[in-house]
């Protein structure tokens, strides 16, 4: 999911986007010392969680 150009949908379907969003988000979050996590459940949805360290 965090690899560039990864698409989690059927590639036969036409969608808009370049496949860079999650890769860029991960890079930014990690640059700030944080973590990005994905929690997914079938038929319930997906939650993206960004954890950043507390500032001093």
């Amino acid at each position: 999911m965090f690899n560039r150009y990864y698409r989690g949908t059927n590639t036969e379907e036409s969608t808009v986007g370049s496949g860079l969003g999650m890769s860029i988000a991960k890079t930014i979050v990690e640059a700030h010392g944080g973590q990005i996590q994905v929690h997914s459940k079938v038929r319930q949805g997906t939650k993206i969680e960004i954890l950043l360290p507390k500032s001093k």
Side-chain angles (χ1 to χ4, degrees):
M1 170 176 277
F2 297 107
N3 295 333
R4 288 179 174 224
Y5 311 114
Y6 174 81
R7 284 185 46 195
T9 61
N10 186 340
T11 56
E12 294 176 5
E13 296 175 13
S14 177
T15 59
V16 178
S18 60
L20 295 172
M22 292 302 289
S23 176
I24 292 169
K26 183 175 187 255
T27 300
I28 292 169
V29 169
E30 288 179 348
H32 289 278
Q35 298 176 14
I36 187 165
Q37 300 175 352
V38 179
H39 308 277
S40 187
K41 292 185 181 179
V42 177
R43 295 187 183 94
Q44 290 187 4
T46 301
K47 178 173 86 171
I48 308 297
E49 188 172 23
I50 296 172
L51 306 167
L52 296 172
K54 291 183 180 183
S55 58
K56 297 179 181 181

